[in-house]
Amino acid sequence: MGNIETISIDQIENILKEKSLKNHHKPKFPDILIELVAFIDVNLFMLLKKIRVICKKATSPNLYYLALTLPLLISCGVSRTIKDIALVTEKNISIPERIQISDSSFSIGSSFISKNKQGLWEMYVEGTPLEIGMITGSLTQELYQNQEAIFFSKIEEIIPSKTSQFLLRKFLAWYNRKMYQYIPQEYKTEIYGVSHFASANYNYIAPPYVRALYLHGAHDIGHALQDLALVGCSSFAVWGTKTEDGGLLVGRNFDFYAGDDFSQEKIVAFIKPTNGHPFMSVTWGGMIGVVSGMNTQGLTVTINAGKSKIPLVAKTPISVVAREILQYASTIDEAVAIAKQREVFVSEAIFISSAKDNKAAIIEVSPKHFGVYEVPNSTQLICTNHFMSKPYLEDKRNNKHIIQSHSAYRFQRMEELISAKKKITPNDAVAVLRNKEGLQDQSIGYGNEKALNQLLAHHGIVFQPEKLLVWVSSNPYQLGEFVAYDLSHVFGGMVKENLSEKDLTIMKDPFLNTQAYANYEANRILEKEIEIAINEEAFISEEKISNFKNNNPDYWKTYYLTGLYYYNTRQYQKAITDFETALQKEITTLPNVEECKKLLKKSKRKAR
């Protein structure tokens, strides 16, 4: 197994004592894993269930726990990943010192980063993989370290138990043990360069390079392990008779939510690599993968999460596959060929549009299937979070997801909005991405995940591939100004420090200036207070509950939470009223509907 990072017997004994485990019998399942299994979901539970076979041979309680948790305590993947650094061939380069021009502007040679008036960081970097990595790391070091702090503090918020955090670190080290084998060498080199500027505060989790490598799989692991709706993205493309000039027009919301702070410091990166096509992407500190981007060939790439069953080992992160496509493909066929070469570990729709092909297609990848979905004789393509290509037509998990989730609803809503316009312009595309209503313009409450604009997006983005134009949203969500960039200007000659095209800026959403928006933001704070009160059985005043309902009266979750509060405080008649009201609203998913019905039934029974 190579070098193994071991855990001492004293540490094991402390864990056992912390959970008050008794030494006189062998329990059915170790209490020390309960919180971790609850976080990681049923997939890890099934993994541990398989491991229990080994544990039957254990002769003492402590050996039983040690055997059962052994896979979580092994970090041979870390040592092997560290050794993989030896394959970096250009380790001995040096880069010029970073020059600080202002508190929001830095440069290194011809590369630079600066913050525009809309709050977006604009970065231009060129060079070899290691040069790009080290220059990017140096230019963005404060942003990178801040993103790490935000990410790991979020983990601590979700999993406050030190024991569970410890086990999670060990599990992720074991789970990611082979990831380095699946990532192309040039991207590992670039990540290695970036990792020089990681924070030393988190070296207890893993060394910088290993940590940076694993964080590129966070998007994949996040939606696969927890299966949350924090990756409910929506994308569309129109072309031909559906646009004013007949060319492609692409819009996309990246609804990846990892807390408000995570999306505050967005980077619009323009990368000119030694090999492949120059490209732009919307990213954040420490991230070299791609979630939304376009290259100078007029090929765009965006990713939409699908329904996943987690396998037993991490492979190629989807963002790295998307990066490779963006850097080396100029047509849909070339993109498909690249995607076929890579083994992934989650299900994802890779939405591709190509100026050369003047159309779009969806590459649907998963650990077991590979499909390409196109729409012959059509001028539009829509993508949410379910698969449509032939290999997935009989896929039970995908079909169940279509029925139970909000993916199909958002798909239909995009169809509605696109059909309502004879021809779509960039302004129209932005309006689609910002739309907060449900089907047939029904008011479904602000923040409803059935809306295209769920008021949680990391960013919205619009492309005109033939013209090499791209618009990127500024905060908050996709409500701020959409800032325009022309790749032919950025990469076509002398690089200027201000990269945007001011004359093409799309104005902010008027919704930002309304009382409804102010009420929504106030309710986000109230929602957290009510959730804490529910979890801790604390008191919430009727005045706050009344304000909570009045601020967002059409949102089902408003009444679900107040109903749950009343149920927990044995105010069953009030609970009945609120659960009944929730069921009259547009509820996000089928499981949410079933949960409301179950609580309503229990409330009625207890009210007798």
Side-chain angles (χ1 to χ4, degrees), residues 521-562:
E521 290 296 339
N523 247 32
R524 295 183 70 212
I525 298 170
L526 275 175
E527 183 175 313
K528 290 177 182 176
E529 285 186 38
I530 291 173
E531 286 177 338
I532 291 171
I534 291 169
N535 292 333
E536 298 180 359
E537 298 183 357
F539 172 76
I540 289 285
S541 70
E542 284 297 321
E543 182 183 3
K544 281 191 175 181
I545 289 175
S546 179
N547 289 339
F548 186 59
K549 291 177 180 178
N550 292 334
N551 283 348
N552 201 358
D554 296 321
Y555 189 27
W556 73 273
K557 193 176 178 182
T558 299
Y559 304 95
Y560 167 77
L561 288 176
T562 55

Side-chain angles (χ1 to χ4, degrees), residues 106-108 110-114 121-127 135-136 139 267-273 278-279 490-497 499:
F106 303 88
S107 68
I108 298 176
S110 59
S111 300
F112 62 87
I113 187 170
S114 62
W121 290 91
E122 299 172 347
M123 181 177 71
Y124 176 89
V125 177
E126 58 185 31
I135 292 171
T136 298
L139 289 174
I267 300 172
V268 184
F270 298 88
I271 309 298
K272 189 175 183 180
F279 63 91
V490 175
F491 295 112
M494 199 72 178
V495 180
K496 55 182 182 177
E497 284 196 20
L499 300 177

Side-chain angles (χ1 to χ4, degrees), residues 118 426-427 430 464 467-472 481-486 489 500-507:
Q118 291 90 354
N427 279 279
V430 168
Q464 275 192 310
K467 296 179 179 179
L468 297 182
L469 290 174
V470 56
W471 287 262
V472 180
E481 289 184 342
F482 271 67
V483 183
Y485 301 93
D486 186 333
H489 291 169
S500 66
E501 305 289 328
K502 291 184 175 59
D503 294 342
L504 297 177
T505 300
I506 295 175
M507 68 177 190

Side-chain angles (χ1 to χ4, degrees), residues 562-575:
T562 55
L564 191 56
Y565 170 78
Y566 286 136
Y567 178 85
N568 286 350
T569 54
R570 298 178 177 83
Q571 301 179 67
Y572 298 118
Q573 287 299 336
K574 289 182 179 180

Side-chain angles (χ1 to χ4, degrees), residues 133 137 144 190-199 208-213:
Y144 178 16
E190 193 170 321
I191 291 169
Y192 170 73
V194 170
S195 71
H196 282 69
F197 301 89
S199 170
Y209 168 65
V210 177
R211 206 164 69 237
L213 200 67

